[in-house]
Amino acid sequence: MPNSDEVLFMRRCLELALKGAGSVSPNPMVGSVIVHNGEIIGQGYHEKFGGPHAEVNAIASVSDKGLLRHSTLYVNLEPCSHFGKTPPCSDLIIAEGISRVVVGCRDPHDAVAGKGIAKLRDAGIEVTEGVLEAESMKLNEAFIKSHTAGLPLVTLKLAQTLDGKIATSLGASRWITGEEARTEVHRLRSIYDAVIIGEATIRVDDALLTVRHCKGRHPLRVVLDRKLSLPLNAKIFGSEAETILFASSSWSDLPKVEELRQKGVTVLFVKEHAGELDLKEVLHELHKRRILSVMVEGGNRLSASFIREKLVDKIYMFIAPKLFGGDGLSAFAPLGISLPDQAVNLRFEKPRYFGRDILLEAYVEA
């Protein structure tokens, strides 16, 4: 069992690491602190992709480098042991003579995967593993899934009423939730690598899918349009953010493809089954482009398809204190159910509140 000080310092690593959300992907979020005689003398985090790693920034922040030989370095993810865009952090730790390293969890990347820890131990450095391991793994769940399953982390985002409706009987869905909840959706967009939407939802909402209600990067916009049927003036084809459109490989409309490409849209073709695009192939194509995480913001048919294909890792469900009545559109109607936990086993996190709306975050369990 880790002692209370180890937990305290590792929690600080996690706090620092989170500052890199939305800026470091496809790298993991990593924070590091350096402790001498129970006091933090240096700290840092991985700030942006291609920039110095957390350990490098933490070591650089120490004013008296002579203290490093008698200090402990804490880091939430195993120090790297290979040359990428930056030199190996494990080599720097060894060169600085740091005597002890405490690690949250191992790095699943093939080039690391225990090699960083082994290199430190071979150099005579004491290494303690597994301090706040579950929290460390959750923080980098998208990075871990990408390197263990070869697919992005998939999250469904839904907004529904108390009676499980995502739209009225007339199809109206703006706005189910209040302003605070909508701001949180934009924050979530800013930390996901991509958002996925189907053509049916774009026809109803003409969604832009950019980050506007808070600071942050725009995600990659992924449109599923099997027959290339969306109009070229749809907002999602604007230049505000990068867009990839997936269409059926059995559908050919070369003039439309060329027009989309002239607007800066990347058009890719995948197989289809029973009149729907092969979602797993879509995810594989995104993985090839180093997309670690995607948030599905489509309607009930697209959400149901992802669930049916067992491709969902977690669900964000915003629940508004409203009732649309029996004729409203149910969130999971295409599955023939009214609640998601009837289709899959869910493990719920602690609810969060945004104004009068509730956010339920749930993990899909095998």
Side-chain angles (χ1 to χ4, degrees), residues 200-273:
T201 301
I202 293 176
R203 289 187 185 283
V204 173
D205 295 340
D206 198 14
L208 191 58
L209 290 189
T210 55
V211 175
R212 303 181 301 280
H213 296 298
C214 64
K215 291 183 179 180
R217 63 167 183 174
H218 298 314
L220 171 70
R221 300 178 297 190
V222 179
V223 180
L224 305 185
D225 185 10
R226 187 169 62 92
K227 293 184 178 182
L228 294 168
S229 61
L230 286 170
L232 290 170
N233 63 355
K235 290 180 181 177
I236 204 160
F237 297 141
S239 60
E240 296 86 354
E242 184 181 356
T243 302
I244 291 180
L245 184 146
F246 284 93
S248 170
S249 55
S250 64
W251 192 263
S252 177
D253 187 343
L254 295 181
K256 182 72 169 285
V257 170
E258 182 57 32
E259 288 179 298
L260 285 166
R261 287 174 175 164
Q262 287 178 3
K263 291 177 70 69
V265 178
T266 299
V267 181
L268 300 175
F269 294 92
V270 295
K271 300 187 299 292
E272 63 174 287
H273 300 295

Side-chain angles (χ1 to χ4, degrees), residues 105-180:
C105 67
R106 291 201 174 198
D107 187 332
H109 193 296
D110 288 343
V112 188
K115 299 181 183 70
I117 289 172
K119 181 181 282 191
L120 294 175
R121 285 177 171 153
D122 288 345
I125 296 174
E126 178 188 349
V127 179
T128 298
E129 297 184 61
V131 176
L132 294 186
E133 183 175 38
E135 291 90 336
S136 297
M137 293 180 70
K138 181 181 178 182
L139 178 70
N140 281 305
E141 59 192 0
F143 177 79
I144 290 171
K145 185 184 178 185
S146 177
H147 287 281
T148 56
L151 290 171
L153 182 86
V154 177
T155 299
L156 296 186
K157 189 277 293 182
L158 300 165
Q160 68 172 46
T161 60
L162 284 174
D163 53 345
K165 303 298 190 296
I166 63 171
T168 67
S169 58
L170 298 177
S173 61
R174 291 188 177 183
W175 294 99
I176 290 178
T177 54
E179 184 175 344
E180 292 178 48

Side-chain angles (χ1 to χ4, degrees), residues 2-305:
N3 62 47
S4 57
D5 286 343
E6 288 177 338
V7 170
L8 177 68
F9 294 133
M10 187 59 70
R11 200 167 297 285
R12 178 56 182 161
C13 290
L14 295 172
E15 291 172 354
L16 290 167
L18 194 57
K19 293 184 177 184
S23 301
V24 301
S25 183
N27 281 353
M29 293 175 281
V30 185
S32 179
V33 299
I34 299 171
V35 178
H36 176 75
N37 288 340
E39 298 291 334
I40 294 177
I41 61 170
Q43 59 184 9
Y45 67 98
H46 186 31
E47 298 178 13
K48 63 179 180 179
F49 178 69
H53 288 186
E55 301 94 319
V56 176
N57 288 331
I59 290 171
S61 73
V62 176
S63 56
D64 184 355
K65 297 296 192 289
L67 297 178
L68 290 173
R69 292 186 174 273
H70 308 285
S71 300
T72 297
L73 182 145
Y74 289 78
V75 63
N76 58 286
L77 189 72
E78 175 183 7
C80 63
S81 56
H82 66 294
F83 282 87
K85 289 186 175 293
T86 59
C89 292
S90 53
D91 288 357
L92 176 63
I93 293 169
I94 294 168
E96 294 291 348
I98 293 172
S99 58
R100 181 170 181 252
V101 174
V102 179
V103 176
C105 67
R106 291 201 174 198
D107 187 332
H109 193 296
D110 288 343
V112 188
K115 299 181 183 70
I117 289 172
K119 181 181 282 191
L120 294 175
R121 285 177 171 153
D122 288 345
I125 296 174
E126 178 188 349
V127 179
T128 298
E129 297 184 61
V131 176
L132 294 186
E133 183 175 38
E135 291 90 336
S136 297
M137 293 180 70
K138 181 181 178 182
L139 178 70
N140 281 305
E141 59 192 0
F143 177 79
I144 290 171
K145 185 184 178 185
S146 177
H147 287 281
T148 56
L151 290 171
L153 182 86
V154 177
T155 299
L156 296 186
K157 189 277 293 182
L158 300 165
Q160 68 172 46
T161 60
L162 284 174
D163 53 345
K165 303 298 190 296
I166 63 171
T168 67
S169 58
L170 298 177
S173 61
R174 291 188 177 183
W175 294 99
I176 290 178
T177 54
E179 184 175 344
E180 292 178 48
R182 294 197 294 274
T183 298
E184 174 63 8
V185 170
H186 282 244
R187 188 194 71 81
L188 291 171
R189 281 182 191 165
S190 75
I191 64 175
Y192 274 77
D193 291 340
V195 292
I196 297 182
I197 192 169
E199 56 90 13
T201 301
I202 293 176
R203 289 187 185 283
V204 173
D205 295 340
D206 198 14
L208 191 58
L209 290 189
T210 55
V211 175
R212 303 181 301 280
H213 296 298
C214 64
K215 291 183 179 180
R217 63 167 183 174
H218 298 314
L220 171 70
R221 300 178 297 190
V222 179
V223 180
L224 305 185
D225 185 10
R226 187 169 62 92
K227 293 184 178 182
L228 294 168
S229 61
L230 286 170
L232 290 170
N233 63 355
K235 290 180 181 177
I236 204 160
F237 297 141
S239 60
E240 296 86 354
E242 184 181 356
T243 302
I244 291 180
L245 184 146
F246 284 93
S248 170
S249 55
S250 64
W251 192 263
S252 177
D253 187 343
L254 295 181
K256 182 72 169 285
V257 170
E258 182 57 32
E259 288 179 298
L260 285 166
R261 287 174 175 164
Q262 287 178 3
K263 291 177 70 69
V265 178
T266 299
V267 181
L268 300 175
F269 294 92
V270 295
K271 300 187 299 292
E272 63 174 287
H273 300 295
E276 292 188 352
L277 295 180
D278 187 324
L279 296 179
K280 193 163 187 178
E281 188 177 350
V282 169
L283 294 177
H284 275 300
E285 288 292 336
L286 294 176
H287 175 71
K288 289 178 185 177
R289 287 161 174 77
R290 306 186 77 183
I291 298 299
L292 303 188
S293 58
V294 299
M295 186 162 67
V296 180
E297 292 204 46
N300 64 352
R301 292 188 63 84
L302 186 59
S303 297
S305 295

